[in-house]
Amino acid sequence: MDHVEQVRLLERFSNKSTSGTLHLTATHLIFVESNNTATTILHHHIASVEKLSLTTSGCPLVIQCRNFRVVHFVVQRERDCHDIYSSLLRLLRPVSYDELYAFSYNPKQNEQQREEGWQLIDLGAEFERMGVPCDRWQLTDVNRDYKICETYPRDLYVPITASKPIIVGSSKFRSKGRFPVLTYFYQEKKAAVCRCSQPLSGFSARCLEDESMLQAISKANHNSRFVYVMDTRPKLNAMANRAAGKGYENEDNYSNIRFQFVGIENIHVMRTSLQKLLEVVGSRFLSVNDYLLGLESCGWLRHVKAVVDAAIFLTKAVTVEGASVLVHCSDGWDRTAQVCSLGALLMDPYYRTIKGFMVLIEKDWISFGHKFADRCDQLDGDPKEVSPVFTQFLECVWQLTEQFPQAFEFSEWLLLQIHEHVHSCQYGNFLANNQRRREELQLGDRTHSLWAFLLREQQNYLNPAYCPTYADTHPVLEPSTLPCHFKFWRNMYHQFDRSMHPRQSVLKNVLTLKESNCQLEDTIKDLETVNFSTVFLIEEEEEVGEEVTECCSDTERTVEGSSGTERKESYSDLQGTYGAKAEPAVVSLEFGVARMTC
Amino acid sequence: MEFSEHIKTANVEDVVLRRPFHPPMQGTLCVTGHHLLFSNRDGDSSRLVLLLLRNIDAIEKSVENLLGYSSLFSSTGQSQRPSVSSGTITLKCKDLCVLQLDIPGMEECLNIARSIEYLSSLDIVSDMYPFFYRPLKLSLQDQWGLSSPEQNYAQMEELQDRWRLSHVNKDYSVCPSYPPAVIVPHSIDDETLVKVAKFRQGGRFPVLCYYHRKNGMVIMRSSQPLTGANRKRCREDELLLQAVIDGSGLGYIIDTRSNQQAQQARMTGGGFESKSSYSCWKRLHRQLERGKVLQESLIKLVEACGDHSHSVDRWLSKLENSKWLSHVHTALATAGLLAECVERDGHSVLVHGSEGTDATLLVSSLAQLILDPNTRTLDGFLGLLEREWLLAGHPFQHRCAHSAYSHARLRLEAPVFVLLLDCVWQLARQFPLAMGFSEPLLLRLAREVYASDYGTFLCNSDQERCAAGVKERTHCLFQFLLKPSEREHYSNPLYEPTELAIWPSIQPQSLQLWRGLFLRWTQHAVHLEKAQEELRNLVIECRGAS
């Protein structure tokens, strides 16, 4: 079976529907409306398919996607519906990496371009940019063969005074062998941000090598006599871990540390919280009060603020006190990744550029082994391992972009696009759980890099309000922690619910203006250098004008602002009584986040 | 009146002023009849802070008598004790700014507090500052107001065959809160209007406020009919409404009260248009809050915004508890319904609640913004405010006597106009290219409506304004805002006129707290403002170049 006709697609927040044909390919589910507009859903994006009980109008099929798209089809014949349902179920559950889209995705690109894409980001160069190696920190080869820690990258940076036996000893005392290593170096104060997993301390165990390791980190910083150890878990969770032979650092054993709990909840709490949030905002006749009460009771914004608060704590310790900080949680790949990367974003303006942001994700998330495959449910696995930790990180970044509109080179559309592809499995970057596995899969040879794709169309992700000199006056961002500055991210969680978006977009408009202006200026400059006669110049300019308008309409922009031709739900109970008349068209902008991923 | 009677201490030296975004400043404080003047001489440069007393909503004073300190001095054997008592005055302003003055000398402090208390709440219109404001750039000979009812009528040629301009209210005797001239159906004569006025609360008989060019449908507004408990009828009222829908067969009445409230109103002499008497009209009830409920909502919202607790849950629950966003939602939804009746269903609509001077105006003006591109320009929007709020008799002086900080007992205050501005801001957020004016205009209006150098928002009706000589003796804010220098600042550089209706999304997720107004005095607002300014300059630059 490849297509079913006369399927209706119900609009999520109104009584409207469109009918068309549903196609099922090996990689996509495509709904083509009678006017030929297509809704395309990648199989990897589908989180769940549900067949509801038969109604008079047909058999409803509800599909929930990981990019927060929810589609509600009504298929006329029950048998067709069942066919689609069972085909989808089969396609949805890839069991091996080879089945993922990234291995079959083939854009029109030659081998050289593909390889160059993978070379765009060089973490060695990134550590050099931070000023490492230096007289206090060095590159170690202990993990060259992933022998010490298989979830860490090959190249790791440690204090010069940390000898190999210390490293090996420390790694044996840390959960999953994730011993303390450098992740960010604040050059101005020579203060380090290090990361690791929890110590296997239980109730009383000690490890001299681990203590020496922390000593070495402390000694590598002359500003401060101690190292902050940030345990990003709530105290209760950390204490419970002691019963399992894990736990946290005892200040009595580590003479040179200041220990601090931060209280970010675990992956299970976050998963449930986001689920609740989506339930609240997904209800159709939501009142303002229920919306605000729902926001409160799901706790999502509280959790987001907890992560930002932790990053602010880290940033203050490093930039104001000049102290080094060691961050960990349980395994050091979820909350630790969030706090380290968000902290670095606050401290270093480079990470607020498009390229720098990619480097940051590559470093703190991909290379240090955030389990993308498990957390994003790439292969059929344990549902308890799935959690929106990375989504939450992107949201924290978005909250910061809202507080500092001039500080970031990118707009929220970059965040949305990255989120889209973390789940699409279309590019190799986020596949698998760690670097070692990625190398085994030869992703660099067999798939394409998302970063190359994003950089190629980076003009779409520019923030027009970005001010490069802002970094000079505000090298370190100091966000407000007042709760009123934490907002619901509509453009993420409702990115496919067009009726909810502003009908016109300032962002899109300014970008287009700026772009057309640049083109115009360039052309004028070109013409001026050639020094033609005045008459000719004027003629040329007119032509340029035409060109510019064409360019604008061609530019496929993936920004907010939906087509106004579709009317939102009726305000009243009138509809039906008087029949729908021609709908007022407002603006016809290209709405593109919902863009096809093929 | 002599203001000096109320100024015991006019000058105090060495006062410390603390205000948002500025370091504390030491200088001289001076009280005048209408202002607090604070000047600071720092070397060569001198700075001046001027605060309109009318802007002060609440004043809190605390006096500290630090005599304990004097023992330190006495031990040194000095007989002369320095003056060590001092006081602090906290000023909470109607623009939601909070300032603090540290004043040396207890008596001075109390004197100044007393002056502020008295002078910030003057009752007599002609004592208010607009009557004394005489800037060099403006002349009292300049036109006051943007347009008269006559001019408005003359501009709309399409409606003139079915609608006429009536001067029945030329001496304000038929309806004290209406302007001297109103637009009514051609077939209804002035005598009938007088009778209808007697059947409507406050004499506010149904008048035309908007004519939809596309289909000839209209929006009318009035107050409630005085049917009372025994379901009184008024033949003339029925005739007038029949004349409105003449030819199109059916009309809607949007009652801004709930059905139950409308029923209850009959007990106090009010009521609603019953199906049996007005068979061609269909009533729709949409409950909009007004009066005390709305004022308390604003107070709670401002309180929530000033709460610096770090708990997200507490913030969200306070925001919810204030119900402000619910009011925004209801207003936009009702305006959407009204616009939908006119544009999509092609029927005329009559809007009213009880008095017809608050929620009625809110809904009718929002619907016009949705439908009519002419009201979305800077001139058009100010014109709309003049027509639908000033001339239509929104009692500004009653509604805006106090804002969210005042401890005074609530009387007739209600932030209906602020709610309108918030709704317009939501519209502009959703259609950032469709409005010819900018957020700074809305913020400026939100400030001016409570305390102003201009006479525009004084008094409760056109009649009162004429009687007090407002139009001769004060300057007009709207005229000023349209001067070339100001116009540029208040225009939206992204503006691209569209002839189409702008239908707002009213999902709760689409509505936002108006940070520019309610969180204006937080550091965060400074970042946002700067970014907006940059963006604005960028757009102007781009537009200028291409």
Side-chain angles (χ1 to χ4, degrees):
Chain A
M1 184 213 57
D2 57 350
H3 74 273
V4 179
E5 280 171 25
Q6 288 188 306
V7 173
R8 279 189 309 128
L9 172 63
L10 305 186
E11 228 174 67
R12 197 175 169 204
F13 292 100
S14 73
N15 297 321
K16 275 176 56 180
S17 66
T18 44
S19 56
T21 311
L22 197 61
H23 300 261
L24 204 56
T25 74
T27 50
H28 292 85
L29 179 75
I30 305 166
F31 177 74
V32 184
E33 289 172 36
S34 31
N35 62 1
N36 272 333
T37 50
T39 306
T40 310
I41 299 171
L42 192 63
H43 295 331
H44 295 316
H45 271 143
I46 299 177
S48 72
V49 189
E50 203 184 345
K51 218 174 77 175
L52 305 181
S53 49
L54 196 68
T55 67
T56 47
S57 55
C59 191
L61 192 69
V62 179
I63 297 176
Q64 309 235 14
C65 299
R66 299 197 170 92
N67 52 8
F68 308 114
R69 185 202 282 268
V70 178
V71 280
H72 194 144
F73 291 118
V74 177
V75 186
Q76 260 192 345
R77 286 172 48 200
E78 220 234 315
R79 253 194 55 202
D80 288 342
C81 185
H82 186 78
D83 282 351
I84 302 171
Y85 177 70
S86 41
S87 313
L88 277 177
L89 280 193
R90 209 160 8 89
L91 290 164
L92 283 191
R93 296 264 154 251
V95 284
S96 86
Y97 284 107
D98 294 340
E99 293 173 54
L100 296 182
Y101 185 38
F103 295 101
S104 57
Y105 172 61
N106 187 16
K108 293 182 194 103
Q109 226 181 42
N110 61 36
E111 191 52 24
Q112 194 196 343
Q113 282 173 313
R114 201 191 56 77
E115 275 171 21
E116 278 169 8
W118 282 109
Q119 286 151 11
L120 277 170
I121 285 169
D122 174 1
L123 289 185
E126 169 56 12
F127 278 94
E128 254 170 58
R129 188 192 67 85
M130 293 179 210
V132 179
C134 62
D135 56 342
R136 292 169 203 173
W137 292 87
Q138 65 178 356
L139 178 66
T140 170
D141 59 3
V142 291
N143 206 39
R144 270 288 141 83
D145 308 314
Y146 299 110
K147 285 252 169 65
I148 306 284
C149 174
E150 60 177 22
T151 59
Y152 266 173
R154 289 176 190 272
D155 291 343
L156 294 168
Y157 296 82
V158 291
I160 278 194
T161 52
S163 63
K164 197 162 176 182
I166 290 180
I167 294 174
V168 174
S170 169
S171 81
K172 288 196 173 128
F173 188 63
R174 294 275 168 182
S175 175
K176 309 276 193 312
R178 294 170 70 92
F179 61 97
V181 294
L182 181 79
T183 178
Y184 180 68
F185 190 64
Y186 187 65
Q187 230 172 336
E188 205 183 302
K189 299 238 163 117
K190 307 258 180 246
V193 178
C194 299
R195 57 186 289 171
C196 62
S197 61
Q198 63 183 337
L200 304 174
S201 53
F203 289 102
S204 58
R206 291 181 62 164
C207 168
L208 290 177
E209 289 92 338
D210 193 60
E211 289 161 26
S212 317
M213 187 72 192
L214 265 68
Q215 186 77 32
I217 293 173
S218 175
K219 285 273 161 60
N221 180 348
H222 300 316
N223 289 323
S224 176
R225 287 178 294 103
F226 57 84
V227 182
Y228 278 104
V229 176
M230 272 176 84
D231 190 327
T232 54
R233 299 168 294 181
K235 188 171 182 183
L236 212 64
N237 301 20
M239 285 174 59
N241 262 303
R242 295 207 314 209
K246 298 164 187 171
Y248 53 92
E249 292 81 356
N250 183 341
E251 268 184 321
D252 297 338
N253 299 339
Y254 297 82
S255 53
N256 54 337
I257 65 163
R258 284 226 180 141
F259 189 85
Q260 178 81 35
F261 285 112
V262 192
I264 303 171
E265 298 288 348
N266 64 26
I267 57 167
H268 311 295
V269 174
M270 298 307 183
R271 179 179 55 241
T272 318
S273 173
L274 183 60
Q275 255 161 17
K276 276 193 201 153
L277 174 74
L278 294 176
E279 266 166 41
V280 169
V281 298
S283 52
R284 274 189 60 182
F285 300 104
L286 185 63
S287 75
V288 177
N289 289 341
D290 289 343
Y291 165 65
L292 292 172
L293 288 175
L295 273 190
E296 182 195 338
S297 68
C298 76
W300 180 253
L301 287 176
R302 189 175 71 226
H303 298 313
V304 167
K305 181 166 141 48
V307 177
V308 174
D309 284 347
I312 293 173
F313 179 87
L314 168 66
T315 305
K316 281 205 175 128
V318 172
T319 59
V320 180
E321 293 182 42
S324 292
V325 183
L326 175 64
V327 185
H328 72 73
C329 46
S330 298
D331 289 319
W333 50 42
D334 294 310
R335 288 168 271 201
T336 302
Q338 287 180 326
V339 174
C340 288
S341 53
L342 215 53
L345 194 72
L346 292 177
M347 284 185 251
D348 194 333
Y350 174 63
Y351 297 129
R352 296 172 222 145
T353 63
I354 291 182
K355 179 78 187 292
F357 189 63
M358 294 172 178
V359 170
L360 185 67
I361 292 175
E362 189 74 32
K363 175 168 71 71
D364 274 323
W365 293 85
I366 297 175
S367 89
F368 275 114
H370 172 68
K371 302 202 289 176
F372 279 105
D374 289 358
R375 297 292 177 260
C376 304
D377 206 11
Q378 288 170 355
L379 296 184
D380 198 11
D382 181 359
K384 283 219 172 80
E385 282 285 306
V386 180
S387 184
V389 177
F390 187 72
T391 306
Q392 192 172 49
F393 162 71
L394 291 178
E395 170 158 348
C396 291
V397 176
W398 176 77
Q399 302 280 1
L400 294 177
T401 62
E402 286 287 292
Q403 279 206 35
F404 302 98
Q406 294 178 277
F408 292 83
E409 188 189 13
F410 50 87
S411 69
E412 68 177 320
W413 303 104
L414 180 72
L415 304 176
L416 292 172
Q417 194 69 286
I418 291 173
H419 183 263
E420 175 90 1
H421 288 298
V422 164
H423 293 92
S424 72
C425 301
Q426 182 174 349
Y427 297 92
N429 309 61
F430 300 101
L431 299 193
N433 282 330
N434 51 58
Q435 293 295 59
R436 199 176 78 107
R437 191 77 184 93
R438 283 182 201 113
E439 283 172 20
E440 284 168 14
L441 290 168
Q442 296 171 297
L443 293 176
D445 300 329
R446 299 169 61 202
T447 68
H448 293 264
S449 165
L450 171 65
W451 306 136
F453 163 73
L454 292 179
L455 281 174
R456 218 169 21 249
E457 50 173 50
Q458 67 169 310
Q459 79 282 354
N460 285 353
Y461 307 116
L462 291 174
N463 165 19
Y466 174 57
C467 175
T469 55
Y470 192 82
D472 303 336
T473 46
H474 302 78
V476 177
L477 296 183
E478 294 170 46
S480 161
T481 58
L482 285 181
C484 54
H485 296 137
F486 291 82
K487 301 183 286 187
F488 172 68
W489 191 6
R490 184 195 55 216
N491 288 355
M492 170 63 95
Y493 304 108
H494 287 298
Q495 52 182 307
F496 296 94
D497 303 315
R498 304 178 195 187
S499 64
M500 235 175 242
H501 290 245
R503 305 313 167 83
Q504 299 172 324
S505 159
V506 176
L507 197 66
K508 180 195 157 93
N509 202 276
V510 175
L511 279 180
T512 314
L513 252 180
K514 215 174 159 182
E515 204 172 284
S516 64
N517 215 41
C518 285
Q519 287 172 1
L520 198 70
E521 271 173 19
D522 287 352
T523 325
I524 290 173
K525 254 185 228 150
D526 289 350
L527 292 170
E528 278 169 351
T529 49
V530 178
N531 198 12
F532 282 115
S533 74
T534 348
V535 182
F536 184 68
L537 192 74
I538 291 167
E539 278 173 12
E540 274 292 301
E541 268 190 77
E542 274 169 10
E543 267 181 43
V544 170
E546 277 170 29
E547 243 172 64
V548 168
T549 29
E550 262 173 41
C551 286
C552 294
S553 56
D554 282 351
T555 319
E556 196 189 311
R557 181 86 65 204
T558 61
V559 279
E560 83 186 276
S562 70
S563 142
T565 46
E566 54 161 321
R567 256 295 307 283
K568 58 167 294 26
E569 80 278 27
S570 175
Y571 297 95
S572 63
D573 36 19
L574 292 169
Q575 220 183 16
T577 331
Y578 295 93
K581 290 191 184 162
E583 289 167 350
V586 185
V587 278
S588 53
L589 297 177
E590 177 69 26
F591 178 79
V593 196
R595 214 166 31 142
M596 294 199 289
T597 41
C598 57
Chain B
M1 189 195 73
E2 274 302 317
F3 297 121
S4 58
E5 282 172 29
H6 301 278
I7 305 174
K8 284 249 167 59
T9 302
N11 275 295
V12 195
E13 305 272 341
D14 295 325
V15 173
V16 177
L17 168 70
R18 297 167 208 277
R19 55 186 175 140
F21 315 140
H22 295 276
M25 219 160 82
Q26 195 169 39
T28 308
L29 180 74
C30 177
V31 189
T32 75
H34 293 106
H35 289 97
L36 277 188
L37 242 146
F38 182 90
S39 64
N40 144 284
R41 250 178 224 99
D42 190 12
D44 299 333
S45 67
S46 70
R47 270 180 298 175
L48 201 72
V49 180
L50 193 68
L51 180 72
L52 193 60
L53 285 167
R54 185 88 195 155
N55 189 11
I56 296 169
D57 204 24
I59 162 167
E60 285 160 18
K61 50 184 187 278
S62 69
V63 187
E64 280 173 43
N65 199 339
L66 302 175
L67 279 176
Y69 276 43
S70 57
S71 58
L72 291 173
F73 294 96
S74 60
S75 66
T76 62
Q78 285 179 339
S79 56
Q80 218 181 8
R81 285 185 179 178
S83 159
V84 283
S85 61
S86 74
T88 297
I89 296 180
T90 306
L91 300 174
K92 299 187 166 177
C93 299
K94 292 171 183 168
D95 61 6
L96 308 183
C97 184
V98 177
L99 314 159
Q100 199 183 309
L101 294 164
D102 297 339
I103 299 171
M106 184 166 61
E107 199 183 328
E108 286 85 349
C109 179
L110 291 176
N111 280 344
I112 284 177
R114 218 170 292 130
S115 302
I116 295 175
E117 266 161 15
Y118 183 83
L119 294 168
S120 63
S121 50
L122 299 173
D123 278 334
I124 301 165
V125 175
S126 58
D127 285 345
M128 292 181 189
Y129 186 59
F131 285 89
F132 299 85
Y133 179 58
R134 296 290 176 264
L136 289 172
K137 289 176 290 184
L138 301 175
S139 153
L140 285 179
Q141 260 65 55
D142 293 344
Q143 189 193 336
W144 206 99
L146 302 175
S147 171
S148 65
E150 285 82 2
Q151 286 165 320
N152 287 332
Y153 178 75
Q155 274 164 11
M156 296 187 284
E157 280 169 22
E158 313 88 4
L159 62 74
Q160 287 168 5
D161 56 330
R162 281 196 55 221
W163 300 84
R164 70 185 183 93
L165 192 70
S166 162
H167 292 91
V168 66
N169 198 39
K170 61 179 181 297
D171 51 3
Y172 304 104
S173 59
V174 178
C175 173
S177 60
Y178 269 172
V182 289
I183 302 172
V184 293
H186 228 298
S187 55
I188 303 297
D189 59 22
D190 283 356
E191 247 171 81
T192 315
L193 289 177
V194 173
K195 285 182 185 148
V196 176
K198 291 205 174 100
F199 185 63
R200 294 273 172 179
Q201 183 174 355
R204 294 175 69 90
F205 55 89
V207 295
L208 177 133
C209 65
Y210 173 66
Y211 179 85
H212 197 49
R213 285 189 176 82
K214 271 184 215 154
N215 57 13
M217 293 303 128
V218 299
I219 299 177
M220 311 280 295
R221 55 174 158 72
S222 70
S223 60
Q224 64 178 341
L226 302 172
T227 54
N230 46 11
R231 300 176 190 273
K232 216 165 63 190
R233 290 179 63 164
C234 172
R235 187 76 202 111
E236 289 78 9
D237 194 69
E238 290 161 25
L239 255 174
L240 193 157
L241 289 190
Q242 192 56 46
V244 170
I245 50 168
D246 183 35
S248 69
L250 191 80
Y252 285 109
I253 293 169
I254 293 181
D255 194 322
T256 62
R257 304 164 294 181
S258 67
N259 197 0
Q260 196 193 1
Q261 283 174 327
Q263 299 281 356
Q264 277 168 356
R266 286 184 16 228
M267 299 306 135
T268 49
F272 51 89
E273 296 81 358
S274 67
K275 194 79 207 158
S276 54
S277 319
Y278 300 84
S279 56
C280 292
W281 290 82
K282 185 179 177 191
R283 240 174 39 244
L284 302 167
H285 289 277
R286 289 291 182 277
Q287 187 186 345
L288 269 74
E289 294 298 348
R290 64 204 86 202
K292 219 176 199 162
V293 177
L294 213 52
Q295 182 73 12
E296 274 161 6
S297 170
L298 178 73
I299 291 171
K300 282 185 191 160
L301 176 68
V302 170
E303 204 268 315
C305 291
D307 181 352
H308 287 191
S309 124
H310 286 270
S311 152
V312 174
D313 292 4
R314 187 175 154 131
W315 156 250
L316 287 172
S317 111
K318 281 191 154 189
L319 183 61
E320 187 271 332
N321 190 252
S322 81
K323 302 275 183 282
W324 182 261
L325 284 172
S326 301
H327 301 318
V328 171
H329 177 265
T330 317
L332 279 173
T334 311
L337 170 70
L338 169 49
E340 198 170 41
C341 292
V342 174
E343 159 101 16
R344 292 188 78 203
D345 298 295
H347 293 287
S348 290
V349 183
L350 168 69
V351 202
H352 70 71
S354 331
E355 295 95 343
T357 53
D358 296 290
T360 304
L361 307 182
L362 177 63
V363 172
S364 80
S365 34
L366 283 175
Q368 291 182 53
L369 277 165
I370 293 173
L371 293 174
D372 183 4
N374 297 327
T375 61
R376 298 181 216 136
T377 63
L378 179 59
D379 300 72
F381 179 60
L382 294 178
L384 176 77
L385 295 183
E386 182 174 74
R387 265 191 349 261
E388 288 299 280
W389 291 80
L390 292 167
L391 291 174
H394 176 67
F396 279 102
Q397 200 181 331
H398 290 152
R399 299 292 180 258
C400 300
H402 286 289
S403 174
Y405 287 127
S406 172
H407 304 303
R409 203 167 55 85
L410 283 186
R411 285 181 302 184
L412 300 165
E413 289 84 359
V416 192
F417 191 70
V418 176
L419 183 58
L420 169 86
L421 295 176
D422 195 336
C423 292
V424 176
W425 179 81
Q426 307 279 353
L427 270 176
R429 285 276 305 186
Q430 297 193 21
F431 297 91
L433 314 185
M435 304 290 196
F437 49 89
S438 63
E439 179 172 356
L441 178 80
L442 300 175
L443 290 171
R444 171 112 196 217
L445 290 170
R447 195 176 75 222
E448 298 277 350
V449 74
Y450 281 99
S452 178
D453 294 345
Y454 300 87
T456 300
F457 293 117
L458 292 179
C459 303
N460 292 309
S461 65
D462 194 52
Q463 183 187 19
E464 285 185 24
R465 248 165 251 132
C466 288
V470 169
K471 295 179 187 181
E472 292 80 38
R473 293 167 53 204
T474 74
H475 294 287
C476 171
L477 175 66
F478 292 172
Q479 284 290 353
F480 172 70
L481 293 176
L482 292 177
K483 290 204 177 296
S485 55
E486 306 299 306
R487 181 186 281 276
E488 199 192 331
H489 181 58
Y490 294 114
S491 306
N492 173 11
L494 284 170
Y495 178 50
E496 278 170 16
T498 166
E499 281 301 306
L500 303 163
I502 52 171
W503 301 101
S505 161
I506 51 162
Q507 293 280 345
Q509 294 95 313
S510 305
L511 303 178
Q512 295 200 344
L513 177 68
W514 187 7
R515 275 150 217 280
L517 181 65
F518 297 111
L519 298 172
R520 191 196 313 172
W521 304 105
T522 59
Q523 196 58 45
H524 177 61
V526 183
H527 294 298
L528 288 188
E529 227 164 86
K530 262 200 200 129
Q532 272 176 1
E533 195 57 42
E534 289 280 313
L535 216 53
R536 193 188 154 79
N537 292 338
L538 180 77
V539 172
I540 292 172
E541 205 177 287
C542 286
R543 285 265 152 99
S546 52

